[in-house]
Amino acid sequence: MAGSSPGRARALAAEHGCAWHETARELLARPDLDAVCVCVPSGLHAEIGEAALRAGKHVLVEKPLEVGLEAADRLLAAARSTGRTLGVVLQHRFDPAARYLYDSVRAGALGTLTSGHAEVAWWRSQGYYDSGQWRGTARLDGGGAVMNQGVHTLDLLQWVMGEAVEVSARTALLAHRGIDVEDTAAAVVRFASGALATVLATTAAYPGRTARLAVHGDRGSAVLDDDRMAYFHTRAEGESGEAYGAYGAGDRSAALPLRHDAERDPTGMPAAPHRDQLADFCDAVEQGRPPAVSGEEARRSLALTLALYESARTGRTVRPDGPGAP
């Protein structure tokens, strides 16, 4: 283990029974080290990740992949040239409810997708932003409520609904001071299928609500709330809906074969998805296959996030950049 705050890094290493090194260079020089997890500020992911890849290590990077596409593409290129595995922590793809929704959409259970809504109405105190010099900075945080907090739900939205082709957005800084990124953002996204979705991300919704993803089609609807399936209904054989709809009735989520993880980490997030993603990454390294959330996959949500920011900056509708060149 290595970190920029030696005292904290040494204490964490001792807590977990790990060796501690003063610098990343020393850590990466170890011949008995196969893989590293990069948990530095977002704007340093490419710098540290590329060094690890070129040292022959497999790399799992915390979200987001980077704060810009040029840096992200350098990291992807390094993984290709070294033949090492590169994964990105977007653990909510491993939530049982999210995977069930993804599989249901791919199986056509919701019919033709028509609309969606991604909402992250959270609260972060001023003390949160003041706790680290990198927090709330464009250079190292890359953005605010969207890039740092909302990226997980935005990633799920695109994962489930398919390729995003246009985004129109507005951002604002309304409830915090001394930061140069947004604490509130709203957007409309159009997908290649023609479906539309709205996005709300904020760290200024006191005292903080849950993250929510709704997906609707002409044969069914589903809602994820707080990592669980809060609503699920698909049209049964021979079923015809009421002319004016069910107004929220007909929920069948309780009957779905889903496990719910009761264990939570100190932030309130479920622990199992992190473990499942780490296990998938290790399996990918051993089996020589891409991890479930590869660098290329994570680049898609980064491109959508950056397109949202560009739209807010220019007032124009923006097309997200496509996947990096092979």
Side-chain angles (χ1 to χ4, degrees), residues 26-241:
E26 289 180 6
L27 178 68
L28 296 177
R30 290 183 55 153
D32 60 339
L33 186 66
D34 298 317
V36 298
C37 187
V38 176
C39 305
V40 298
S42 304
L44 298 176
H45 285 178
E47 176 185 333
I48 302 298
E50 187 174 358
L53 289 164
R54 303 226 178 267
K57 315 305 181 187
H58 304 283
V59 174
L60 182 63
V61 181
E62 258 297 339
K63 60 81 185 169
L65 176 61
E66 244 287 352
V67 301
L69 292 180
E70 182 179 348
D73 287 341
R74 290 202 312 270
L75 197 49
L76 294 174
R80 287 193 294 268
S81 66
T82 60
R84 301 292 91 181
T85 301
L86 173 64
V88 181
V89 178
L90 288 166
Q91 78 279 4
H92 289 287
R93 291 197 186 194
F94 291 82
D95 293 338
R99 296 187 71 85
Y100 190 91
L101 173 57
Y102 176 85
D103 291 340
S104 297
V105 168
R106 294 300 173 276
L110 272 64
T112 299
L113 294 188
T114 57
S115 61
H117 177 62
E119 178 182 311
V120 181
W122 286 356
W123 171 256
R124 291 293 184 269
S125 69
Q126 185 64 41
Y128 165 83
Y129 289 106
D130 295 342
S131 66
Q133 293 184 348
W134 69 279
R135 292 194 186 277
T137 66
R139 186 175 72 87
L140 293 178
D141 219 352
V146 182
M147 180 74 83
N148 198 310
Q149 283 79 28
V151 66
H152 283 293
T153 308
L154 197 63
D155 176 70
L156 289 182
L157 178 72
Q158 185 167 246
W159 184 51
V160 171
M161 297 195 67
E163 181 187 2
V165 296
E166 286 184 349
V167 59
S168 179
R170 292 291 185 271
T171 61
L173 178 61
L174 301 172
H176 299 92
R177 64 183 186 278
I179 63 175
D180 51 25
V181 296
E182 85 290 349
D183 63 11
T184 304
V188 175
V189 180
R190 184 172 69 86
F191 296 88
S193 66
L196 301 174
T198 54
V199 176
L200 169 66
T202 181
T203 54
Y206 185 85
R209 295 182 54 245
T210 55
R212 189 175 179 89
L213 175 67
V215 177
H216 309 293
D218 63 359
R219 293 189 59 86
S221 294
V223 177
L224 304 179
D225 194 338
D226 194 24
D227 314 304
R228 299 184 178 219
M229 191 74 77
Y231 181 91
F232 189 86
H233 185 105
T234 58
R235 184 184 298 176
E237 189 68 32
E239 177 185 342
S240 59

Side-chain angles (χ1 to χ4, degrees), residues 280-300:
D280 172 80
F281 179 78
C282 292
D283 288 345
V285 169
E286 290 184 349
Q287 298 166 12
R289 61 165 174 83
V293 188
S294 64
E296 288 78 8
E297 272 293 296
R299 190 186 188 279
R300 287 160 46 84

